[in-house]
Amino acid sequence: MMPEEVAGDGTTPDGAAGSQPQPDQEHALNAAADAAEAAIARLYGEPLLRLPTDLYIPPDALEVFLDAFEGPLDLLLYLIRKQNFNILDIPMAQVTLQYLEYVEQIRKSNLELAAEYLLMAAMLIEIKSRMLLPKRQDDLIEEVGDPRAELVRRLLDYEQIKLAAQALGALPQVDRDFLRPELTIEQGLAPVWPHVDAHDLQRAWMDVLRRAKLTQHHRIGREELSVREHMSAILRTLQSRRFIEFAELFDGHAGVPVVVVHFVAMLELAKETLIEITQAEAFAPIYVRLAYSPA
């Protein structure tokens, strides 16, 4: 028998499609599937069956980051708050176990960082052991405080400071959340004076005068005048003259207070009979002279 002729499109002359792939093609597909399963990685889409001999991977090239903590107290507070433990009654067994698991994880990758957490781990183990030990007779007599008291105090203080720091960090800050606007203004050298109307200036001046009148004060001064001094002055004037007319004893340029005091001084001298005031007849001139004293 002659083999059947196969057309170029994979069909037989009677139009039926080829039912089975060629043996070489099937073998290639199986080999590719096996290589994909055995590949340890893919490089540019191609399966990598073995590691290169000249490949160097630094020890710290791959790091596994767990939840970021800022220290042992931060980790301990996270474990307590995550499981809704009462911070005043911490279950030391569970918290210590979870804390040690985290320390073991970071110890494998970064020993220097784990050293800081190991100190807190030692403290937790000590507190746990003190709680497990039976109380002695002396301890029953003297009431011993809770071994967790100091740890609780430190956790509460740390939580308060942490919340305050978060509140401060949430406040808007310059150059982080907003920028200060800056505006450059060009100022000319020639000053620009405001326009003032003459009527406005007149009204302002009248307003100033009106306010000045409201606050104006009238001061009355008092001049101190001595009757004795004026009496002595009249006697000195009369000693040089025998008679003197009444009007000549007064200074016409002096003020009213001076004239009044001078007249009172003249009356005092007449009362003490040191001077004499005479008049020849009615409406005649009045003269003043020193009183006559017999030798």
CSV table of all heavy atoms in Angstrom, one decimal, residues 66-110:
chain,number,residue,atom,x,y,z
A,66,LEU,N,9.7,42.9,58.6
A,66,LEU,CA,8.4,42.7,59.4
A,66,LEU,C,7.9,44.1,59.7
A,66,LEU,O,8.3,45.1,59.1
A,66,LEU,CB,8.7,41.9,60.6
A,66,LEU,CG,9.3,40.5,60.3
A,66,LEU,CD1,9.5,39.8,61.7
A,66,LEU,CD2,8.5,39.7,59.4
A,67,ASP,N,6.9,44.2,60.6
A,67,ASP,CA,6.4,45.5,61.0
A,67,ASP,C,7.5,46.3,61.6
A,67,ASP,O,8.3,45.9,62.4
A,67,ASP,CB,5.3,45.3,62.0
A,67,ASP,CG,4.1,44.6,61.4
A,67,ASP,OD1,3.7,44.9,60.3
A,67,ASP,OD2,3.5,43.7,62.1
A,68,ALA,N,7.6,47.6,61.1
A,68,ALA,CA,8.7,48.5,61.6
A,68,ALA,C,8.4,48.9,63.0
A,68,ALA,O,7.3,49.5,63.3
A,68,ALA,CB,8.8,49.7,60.6
A,69,PHE,N,9.4,48.8,63.9
A,69,PHE,CA,9.3,49.2,65.3
A,69,PHE,C,10.5,50.1,65.6
A,69,PHE,O,11.5,50.0,65.0
A,69,PHE,CB,9.3,48.0,66.2
A,69,PHE,CG,8.1,47.1,66.0
A,69,PHE,CD1,8.3,45.8,65.4
A,69,PHE,CD2,6.8,47.4,66.3
A,69,PHE,CE1,7.3,45.0,65.1
A,69,PHE,CE2,5.8,46.6,66.0
A,69,PHE,CZ,6.0,45.3,65.4
A,70,GLU,N,10.3,51.0,66.5
A,70,GLU,CA,11.3,52.0,66.8
A,70,GLU,C,12.1,51.6,68.1
A,70,GLU,O,12.9,52.4,68.6
A,70,GLU,CB,10.6,53.4,67.1
A,70,GLU,CG,10.0,53.9,65.8
A,70,GLU,CD,9.3,55.2,66.1
A,70,GLU,OE1,9.4,55.7,67.2
A,70,GLU,OE2,8.8,55.8,65.1
A,71,GLY,N,11.8,50.4,68.6
A,71,GLY,CA,12.6,50.0,69.7
A,71,GLY,C,11.8,48.9,70.5
A,71,GLY,O,10.7,48.5,70.1
A,72,PRO,N,12.4,48.3,71.5
A,72,PRO,CA,11.8,47.2,72.3
A,72,PRO,C,10.4,47.6,72.9
A,72,PRO,O,9.5,46.8,72.8
A,72,PRO,CB,12.8,46.9,73.4
A,72,PRO,CG,14.1,47.4,72.9
A,72,PRO,CD,13.8,48.6,72.1
A,73,LEU,N,10.3,48.8,73.4
A,73,LEU,CA,9.0,49.2,74.0
A,73,LEU,C,8.0,49.3,72.9
A,73,LEU,O,6.8,49.0,73.2
A,73,LEU,CB,9.2,50.6,74.7
A,73,LEU,CG,10.0,50.5,76.0
A,73,LEU,CD1,10.1,51.9,76.6
A,73,LEU,CD2,9.2,49.6,77.1
A,74,ASP,N,8.4,49.8,71.7
A,74,ASP,CA,7.4,49.9,70.6
A,74,ASP,C,6.9,48.5,70.2
A,74,ASP,O,5.7,48.4,70.0
A,74,ASP,CB,8.1,50.6,69.5
A,74,ASP,CG,7.0,51.1,68.5
A,74,ASP,OD1,5.8,51.2,68.9
A,74,ASP,OD2,7.4,51.4,67.3
A,75,LEU,N,7.8,47.6,70.1
A,75,LEU,CA,7.4,46.2,69.8
A,75,LEU,C,6.5,45.6,70.9
A,75,LEU,O,5.4,45.0,70.6
A,75,LEU,CB,8.6,45.3,69.6
A,75,LEU,CG,8.4,43.8,69.5
A,75,LEU,CD1,7.5,43.5,68.3
A,75,LEU,CD2,9.7,43.1,69.4
A,76,LEU,N,6.8,45.8,72.1
A,76,LEU,CA,6.0,45.2,73.2
A,76,LEU,C,4.7,45.9,73.3
A,76,LEU,O,3.6,45.2,73.5
A,76,LEU,CB,6.8,45.5,74.5
A,76,LEU,CG,6.3,44.7,75.7
A,76,LEU,CD1,6.4,43.2,75.5
A,76,LEU,CD2,7.2,45.0,77.0
A,77,LEU,N,4.6,47.2,73.1
A,77,LEU,CA,3.3,47.9,73.1
A,77,LEU,C,2.4,47.4,71.9
A,77,LEU,O,1.2,47.3,72.0
A,77,LEU,CB,3.5,49.4,73.0
A,77,LEU,CG,2.3,50.3,73.1
A,77,LEU,CD1,1.6,50.1,74.5
A,77,LEU,CD2,2.6,51.7,72.9
A,78,TYR,N,3.1,47.1,70.7
A,78,TYR,CA,2.4,46.6,69.6
A,78,TYR,C,1.7,45.2,69.9
A,78,TYR,O,0.6,45.0,69.5
A,78,TYR,CB,3.3,46.5,68.4
A,78,TYR,CG,2.8,45.8,67.2
A,78,TYR,CD1,1.8,46.4,66.3
A,78,TYR,CD2,3.1,44.5,66.9
A,78,TYR,CE1,1.3,45.7,65.3
A,78,TYR,CE2,2.6,43.8,65.9
A,78,TYR,CZ,1.7,44.4,65.0
A,78,TYR,OH,1.2,43.7,64.0
A,79,LEU,N,2.5,44.4,70.5
A,79,LEU,CA,2.0,43.0,70.8
A,79,LEU,C,0.8,43.1,71.8
A,79,LEU,O,-0.2,42.3,71.6
A,79,LEU,CB,3.1,42.2,71.4
A,79,LEU,CG,4.3,41.9,70.4
A,79,LEU,CD1,5.3,41.1,71.2
A,79,LEU,CD2,3.8,41.1,69.2
A,80,ILE,N,0.9,44.0,72.7
A,80,ILE,CA,-0.2,44.1,73.7
A,80,ILE,C,-1.5,44.7,73.1
A,80,ILE,O,-2.6,44.2,73.3
A,80,ILE,CB,0.3,45.0,74.9
A,80,ILE,CG1,1.4,44.3,75.6
A,80,ILE,CG2,-0.9,45.3,75.8
A,80,ILE,CD1,2.0,45.1,76.7
A,81,ARG,N,-1.3,45.8,72.3
A,81,ARG,CA,-2.5,46.4,71.7
A,81,ARG,C,-3.1,45.6,70.6
A,81,ARG,O,-4.3,45.7,70.4
A,81,ARG,CB,-2.1,47.8,71.2
A,81,ARG,CG,-1.6,48.8,72.2
A,81,ARG,CD,-2.7,49.0,73.3
A,81,ARG,NE,-2.4,50.1,74.2
A,81,ARG,CZ,-3.0,50.3,75.3
A,81,ARG,NH1,-4.0,49.5,75.7
A,81,ARG,NH2,-2.7,51.3,76.1
A,82,LYS,N,-2.3,44.9,69.9
A,82,LYS,CA,-2.8,44.1,68.7
A,82,LYS,C,-3.7,43.0,69.2
A,82,LYS,O,-4.7,42.7,68.6
A,82,LYS,CB,-1.6,43.4,68.0
A,82,LYS,CG,-2.1,42.6,66.8
A,82,LYS,CD,-0.9,42.0,66.1
A,82,LYS,CE,-1.3,41.2,64.9
A,82,LYS,NZ,-0.2,40.6,64.2
A,83,GLN,N,-3.5,42.4,70.4
A,83,GLN,CA,-4.3,41.3,70.9
A,83,GLN,C,-5.3,41.8,72.0
A,83,GLN,O,-5.9,41.0,72.7
A,83,GLN,CB,-3.4,40.2,71.5
A,83,GLN,CG,-2.4,39.7,70.4
A,83,GLN,CD,-1.5,38.7,71.0
A,83,GLN,OE1,-1.8,37.5,71.1
A,83,GLN,NE2,-0.3,39.1,71.3
A,84,ASN,N,-5.4,43.2,72.2
A,84,ASN,CA,-6.3,43.7,73.1
A,84,ASN,C,-6.1,43.3,74.5
A,84,ASN,O,-7.1,43.0,75.3
A,84,ASN,CB,-7.8,43.4,72.7
A,84,ASN,CG,-8.1,44.1,71.4
A,84,ASN,OD1,-7.7,45.2,71.1
A,84,ASN,ND2,-9.0,43.4,70.6
A,85,PHE,N,-4.8,43.1,74.9
A,85,PHE,CA,-4.5,42.8,76.3
A,85,PHE,C,-4.7,44.0,77.2
A,85,PHE,O,-4.5,45.1,76.7
A,85,PHE,CB,-3.1,42.2,76.4
A,85,PHE,CG,-2.9,40.9,75.8
A,85,PHE,CD1,-1.7,40.5,75.3
A,85,PHE,CD2,-3.9,40.0,75.8
A,85,PHE,CE1,-1.5,39.3,74.7
A,85,PHE,CE2,-3.8,38.7,75.2
A,85,PHE,CZ,-2.5,38.4,74.7
A,86,ASN,N,-5.0,43.8,78.4
A,86,ASN,CA,-5.1,44.9,79.4
A,86,ASN,C,-3.6,45.2,79.8
A,86,ASN,O,-2.9,44.4,80.3
A,86,ASN,CB,-5.9,44.5,80.6
A,86,ASN,CG,-6.1,45.6,81.6
A,86,ASN,OD1,-5.6,46.7,81.3
A,86,ASN,ND2,-6.7,45.3,82.7
A,87,ILE,N,-3.2,46.5,79.6
A,87,ILE,CA,-1.9,46.8,79.8
A,87,ILE,C,-1.5,46.8,81.3
A,87,ILE,O,-0.4,46.7,81.7
A,87,ILE,CB,-1.6,48.2,79.2
A,87,ILE,CG1,-0.1,48.5,79.1
A,87,ILE,CG2,-2.2,49.3,80.0
A,87,ILE,CD1,0.3,49.7,78.3
A,88,LEU,N,-2.6,46.9,82.1
A,88,LEU,CA,-2.4,46.9,83.6
A,88,LEU,C,-2.3,45.4,84.1
A,88,LEU,O,-2.0,45.2,85.3
A,88,LEU,CB,-3.5,47.6,84.3
A,88,LEU,CG,-3.6,49.1,84.0
A,88,LEU,CD1,-4.7,49.8,84.7
A,88,LEU,CD2,-2.3,49.8,84.3
A,89,ASP,N,-2.7,44.4,83.3
A,89,ASP,CA,-2.6,43.0,83.6
A,89,ASP,C,-2.1,42.2,82.4
A,89,ASP,O,-2.8,41.5,81.8
A,89,ASP,CB,-4.0,42.6,84.1
A,89,ASP,CG,-4.0,41.1,84.7
A,89,ASP,OD1,-2.9,40.7,85.0
A,89,ASP,OD2,-5.0,40.5,84.8
A,90,ILE,N,-0.8,42.4,82.2
A,90,ILE,CA,-0.2,41.8,81.0
A,90,ILE,C,0.0,40.3,81.2
A,90,ILE,O,0.6,39.9,82.2
A,90,ILE,CB,1.2,42.4,80.7
A,90,ILE,CG1,1.0,43.9,80.5
A,90,ILE,CG2,1.8,41.8,79.5
A,90,ILE,CD1,2.3,44.7,80.4
A,91,PRO,N,-0.5,39.4,80.3
A,91,PRO,CA,-0.2,38.0,80.4
A,91,PRO,C,1.3,37.7,79.9
A,91,PRO,O,1.6,37.7,78.7
A,91,PRO,CB,-1.2,37.3,79.4
A,91,PRO,CG,-1.6,38.4,78.4
A,91,PRO,CD,-1.4,39.7,79.2
A,92,MET,N,2.2,37.6,80.9
A,92,MET,CA,3.6,37.6,80.6
A,92,MET,C,4.0,36.4,79.7
A,92,MET,O,4.9,36.5,78.9
A,92,MET,CB,4.4,37.7,81.9
A,92,MET,CG,4.2,38.9,82.7
A,92,MET,SD,4.6,40.4,81.7
A,92,MET,CE,6.3,40.1,81.3
A,93,ALA,N,3.3,35.3,79.9
A,93,ALA,CA,3.7,34.1,79.2
A,93,ALA,C,3.5,34.3,77.7
A,93,ALA,O,4.4,34.0,76.9
A,93,ALA,CB,2.9,32.9,79.7
A,94,GLN,N,2.3,34.7,77.3
A,94,GLN,CA,2.1,34.9,75.8
A,94,GLN,C,2.9,36.0,75.2
A,94,GLN,O,3.5,35.8,74.2
A,94,GLN,CB,0.6,35.2,75.6
A,94,GLN,CG,-0.4,34.1,76.2
A,94,GLN,CD,-1.8,34.4,75.9
A,94,GLN,OE1,-2.2,35.0,74.9
A,94,GLN,NE2,-2.7,34.1,76.9
A,95,VAL,N,3.0,37.1,75.9
A,95,VAL,CA,3.7,38.3,75.4
A,95,VAL,C,5.2,37.9,75.3
A,95,VAL,O,5.8,38.3,74.3
A,95,VAL,CB,3.5,39.5,76.3
A,95,VAL,CG1,4.4,40.7,75.8
A,95,VAL,CG2,2.0,39.9,76.2
A,96,THR,N,5.8,37.3,76.3
A,96,THR,CA,7.2,36.9,76.2
A,96,THR,C,7.5,35.9,75.1
A,96,THR,O,8.5,36.1,74.3
A,96,THR,CB,7.6,36.3,77.5
A,96,THR,OG1,7.3,37.2,78.6
A,96,THR,CG2,9.1,36.0,77.6
A,97,LEU,N,6.6,35.0,74.8
A,97,LEU,CA,6.8,34.0,73.8
A,97,LEU,C,6.8,34.7,72.4
A,97,LEU,O,7.6,34.5,71.5
A,97,LEU,CB,5.7,32.9,73.8
A,97,LEU,CG,5.8,31.8,72.8
A,97,LEU,CD1,7.1,31.1,72.8
A,97,LEU,CD2,4.6,30.9,72.9
A,98,GLN,N,5.8,35.6,72.2
A,98,GLN,CA,5.7,36.3,70.9
A,98,GLN,C,6.8,37.2,70.7
A,98,GLN,O,7.4,37.4,69.6
A,98,GLN,CB,4.4,37.1,70.9
A,98,GLN,CG,3.1,36.2,70.9
A,98,GLN,CD,1.8,37.0,71.0
A,98,GLN,OE1,1.9,38.2,71.0
A,98,GLN,NE2,0.7,36.3,71.2
A,99,TYR,N,7.3,37.9,71.8
A,99,TYR,CA,8.4,38.8,71.7
A,99,TYR,C,9.7,38.0,71.3
A,99,TYR,O,10.5,38.5,70.5
A,99,TYR,CB,8.6,39.5,73.1
A,99,TYR,CG,9.7,40.6,73.1
A,99,TYR,CD1,9.4,41.9,72.7
A,99,TYR,CD2,11.0,40.2,73.4
A,99,TYR,CE1,10.3,42.8,72.7
A,99,TYR,CE2,12.0,41.2,73.4
A,99,TYR,CZ,11.6,42.5,73.1
A,99,TYR,OH,12.6,43.5,73.1
A,100,LEU,N,9.9,36.9,71.9
A,100,LEU,CA,11.1,36.1,71.6
A,100,LEU,C,11.1,35.6,70.2
A,100,LEU,O,12.1,35.5,69.5
A,100,LEU,CB,11.2,34.9,72.6
A,100,LEU,CG,11.6,35.3,74.0
A,100,LEU,CD1,11.6,34.1,74.9
A,100,LEU,CD2,12.9,36.0,74.1
A,101,GLU,N,9.9,35.3,69.6
A,101,GLU,CA,9.8,34.9,68.2
A,101,GLU,C,10.3,36.0,67.3
A,101,GLU,O,11.0,35.8,66.3
A,101,GLU,CB,8.4,34.4,67.9
A,101,GLU,CG,8.0,33.1,68.6
A,101,GLU,CD,6.5,32.7,68.3
A,101,GLU,OE1,5.9,33.5,67.6
A,101,GLU,OE2,6.1,31.7,68.7
A,102,TYR,N,9.8,37.2,67.6
A,102,TYR,CA,10.2,38.3,66.8
A,102,TYR,C,11.7,38.6,66.9
A,102,TYR,O,12.4,38.8,65.9
A,102,TYR,CB,9.5,39.6,67.2
A,102,TYR,CG,9.8,40.8,66.4
A,102,TYR,CD1,9.3,41.0,65.2
A,102,TYR,CD2,10.8,41.7,66.9
A,102,TYR,CE1,9.6,42.1,64.4
A,102,TYR,CE2,11.2,42.8,66.2
A,102,TYR,CZ,10.6,43.0,64.9
A,102,TYR,OH,10.9,44.1,64.2
A,103,VAL,N,12.3,38.5,68.1
A,103,VAL,CA,13.7,38.7,68.3
A,103,VAL,C,14.5,37.6,67.5
A,103,VAL,O,15.6,37.9,67.0
A,103,VAL,CB,14.0,38.7,69.8
A,103,VAL,CG1,15.6,38.7,70.0
A,103,VAL,CG2,13.4,39.9,70.5
A,104,GLU,N,14.0,36.4,67.5
A,104,GLU,CA,14.7,35.4,66.8
A,104,GLU,C,14.7,35.7,65.3
A,104,GLU,O,15.7,35.4,64.6
A,104,GLU,CB,14.0,34.0,67.0
A,104,GLU,CG,14.7,32.8,66.4
A,104,GLU,CD,16.1,32.6,66.9
A,104,GLU,OE1,16.4,33.0,68.0
A,104,GLU,OE2,16.9,31.9,66.2
A,105,GLN,N,13.7,36.2,64.8
A,105,GLN,CA,13.6,36.6,63.3
A,105,GLN,C,14.7,37.7,63.0
A,105,GLN,O,15.4,37.6,62.0
A,105,GLN,CB,12.2,37.1,63.0
A,105,GLN,CG,11.2,36.0,63.0
A,105,GLN,CD,11.4,35.0,61.9
A,105,GLN,OE1,11.9,35.3,60.9
A,105,GLN,NE2,10.9,33.8,62.2
A,106,ILE,N,14.8,38.7,63.8
A,106,ILE,CA,15.7,39.8,63.5
A,106,ILE,C,17.1,39.4,63.9
A,106,ILE,O,18.1,39.9,63.3
A,106,ILE,CB,15.3,41.1,64.2
A,106,ILE,CG1,15.4,40.9,65.7
A,106,ILE,CG2,14.0,41.6,63.8
A,106,ILE,CD1,15.1,42.2,66.5
A,107,ARG,N,17.3,38.4,64.8
A,107,ARG,CA,18.7,38.0,65.1
A,107,ARG,C,19.3,37.2,63.9
A,107,ARG,O,20.5,37.3,63.7
A,107,ARG,CB,18.6,37.0,66.3
A,107,ARG,CG,20.0,36.7,66.9
A,107,ARG,CD,19.8,35.7,68.0
A,107,ARG,NE,19.3,34.4,67.5
A,107,ARG,CZ,20.0,33.5,66.9
A,107,ARG,NH1,21.3,33.6,66.7
A,107,ARG,NH2,19.5,32.3,66.5
A,108,LYS,N,18.5,36.6,63.1
A,108,LYS,CA,19.1,35.9,62.0
A,108,LYS,C,19.6,36.8,60.9
A,108,LYS,O,20.5,36.5,60.2
A,108,LYS,CB,18.0,35.0,61.4
A,108,LYS,CG,17.6,33.8,62.3
A,108,LYS,CD,16.5,33.0,61.6
A,108,LYS,CE,16.0,31.9,62.5
A,108,LYS,NZ,14.9,31.1,61.9
A,109,SER,N,19.0,38.0,60.8
A,109,SER,CA,19.3,38.9,59.7
A,109,SER,C,20.2,40.0,60.2
A,109,SER,O,21.1,40.5,59.5
A,109,SER,CB,18.1,39.5,59.1
A,109,SER,OG,17.3,40.2,60.1
A,110,ASN,N,20.1,40.5,61.4
A,110,ASN,CA,20.8,41.6,61.9
A,110,ASN,C,21.1,41.5,63.4
A,110,ASN,O,20.2,41.7,64.2
A,110,ASN,CB,20.1,42.9,61.7
A,110,ASN,CG,20.9,44.2,61.8
A,110,ASN,OD1,21.9,44.1,62.5
A,110,ASN,ND2,20.6,45.3,61.2
